[in-house]
Amino acid sequence: MAEENNQNAAAGNPAAGQQDKPQLQFSVQRIYVKDISFEAPNSPAVFQQPFKPKVGLDLNTSSRQVGEGLYEVVIKVTAQVTHSEEGTTSFLAEIEQAGLFRIAGIEGAQLEHTLGAFCPNVLFPYARECIDNLVNRGGFPPLMLAPVNFEAIYAQKKKREAEQAQAQATQ
């Protein structure tokens, strides 16, 4: 009976022939703050006027391999809030939220997509919470950042790169 099951497994189980392929592996090893900064250069004067914020947000991502199958992904979020009428800076909050990801069995464009879109999607809620906490501790109303579509940002980046490559090829 055991011999029959082994033959059925080899003949009828499509996964039996795929054992030579590397297993897809993705896991979060650690999420951490790499750098954090908060400045309120015009305090306490900024608290003596009505708070009419104008928010400027800058967002960047980067990644690098730090070991065999181990990648660090960093999203840098900079929120600069100015007084909408006077233009003076109310506060500047900046964070580099990072994560270590173990990734195996993913290569090429798929790996690049994972590092450029999927991993930042995992990290952003942590960065968002940290920015909100910093701003609140600075004495300002919470700054609830809207969710970010890193898939769309990644697609735009790839489109720009393709357009630049095509422009260089035609020169």
Side-chain angles (χ1 to χ4, degrees):
M1 182 73 177
E3 191 176 302
E4 186 178 308
N5 285 341
N6 287 340
Q7 288 174 349
N8 288 341
N13 185 355
Q18 295 179 0
Q19 291 176 352
D20 295 341
K21 290 185 179 179
Q23 289 283 29
L24 293 179
Q25 195 177 41
F26 178 89
S27 63
V28 178
Q29 299 296 301
R30 183 154 308 210
I31 294 176
Y32 55 97
V33 173
K34 194 165 181 141
D35 188 22
I36 193 167
S37 172
F38 180 83
E39 299 172 32
N42 294 308
S43 62
V46 71
F47 299 119
Q48 297 171 349
Q49 56 191 343
F51 189 60
K52 296 180 181 176
K54 179 182 173 191
V55 179
L57 187 66
D58 188 29
L59 187 66
N60 293 303
T61 64
S62 62
S63 62
R64 66 187 180 107
Q65 188 169 2
V66 295
E68 183 67 32
L70 191 62
Y71 298 86
E72 179 188 52
V73 177
V74 179
I75 58 173
K76 182 177 181 179
V77 181
T78 304
Q80 182 170 4
V81 175
T82 57
H83 190 279
S84 62
E85 294 172 1
E86 296 175 15
T88 58
T89 299
S90 298
F91 65 84
L92 178 70
E94 186 173 78
I95 182 170
E96 287 185 19
Q97 185 72 54
L100 282 177
F101 297 88
R102 174 130 346 252
I103 303 171
I106 302 173
E107 297 176 357
Q110 192 177 16
L111 175 62
E112 189 178 325
H113 180 263
T114 300
L115 295 171
F118 185 75
C119 293
N121 274 327
V122 170
L123 295 173
F124 187 72
Y126 295 93
R128 183 179 175 202
E129 177 187 17
C130 196
I131 289 281
D132 186 52
N133 193 336
L134 271 175
V135 170
N136 199 18
R137 287 177 182 253
F140 295 91
L143 179 67
M144 294 300 295
L145 298 177
V148 174
N149 185 346
F150 286 96
E151 292 287 335
I153 292 171
Y154 179 78
Q156 288 173 348
K157 176 185 171 191
K158 295 309 283 179
K159 183 179 178 185
R160 273 194 312 272
E161 287 174 359
E163 288 171 352
Q164 288 173 350
Q166 186 178 16
Q168 289 177 351
T170 57
Q171 289 180 353

